[in-house]
Amino acid sequence: DCHELGYTGRMVVVEILIMTESLYDCIAQRDRKRMAEVAKKEGFHTMYEHGLERVLAGETTLKELLAYCPEEN
């Protein structure tokens, strides 16, 4: 029962970083900036980005997303 709020149940908003050879190299070189660039290039989405996808799909609200996942810089 959604109590007339429009949503019911829970959903998962996640970050999953699949390690690749390129990312291992960044870690070995301790190059955080390059690691972020490589991860993005290889399809990584932050928790905030995943949450925004859920907002745009009408599955939750921006208010709910920001309550649990602050905006990125």
Side-chain angles (χ1 to χ4, degrees):
D1 190 336
C2 70
H3 305 287
E4 305 300 321
L5 297 175
Y7 300 100
T8 184
R10 296 176 187 252
M11 72 177 65
V12 176
V13 176
V14 297
E15 283 184 346
I16 298 175
L17 180 61
I18 298 171
M19 295 304 296
T20 64
E21 194 65 37
S22 300
L23 289 171
Y24 280 117
D25 290 343
C26 293
I27 291 169
Q29 296 168 11
R30 298 176 187 242
D31 190 344
R32 293 183 71 186
K33 182 179 179 185
R34 184 166 172 264
M35 183 176 160
E37 292 168 359
V38 169
K40 279 281 191 200
K41 182 180 173 189
E42 293 182 357
F44 174 74
H45 295 271
T46 65
M47 195 177 313
Y48 182 75
E49 290 169 335
H50 186 208
L52 280 178
E53 291 172 6
R54 297 287 185 125
V55 170
L56 293 173
E59 298 171 358
T60 191
T61 64
L62 185 57
K63 181 179 177 181
E64 282 293 308
L65 172 62
L66 295 176
Y68 299 99
C69 187
E71 266 184 281
E72 297 173 347
N73 294 330

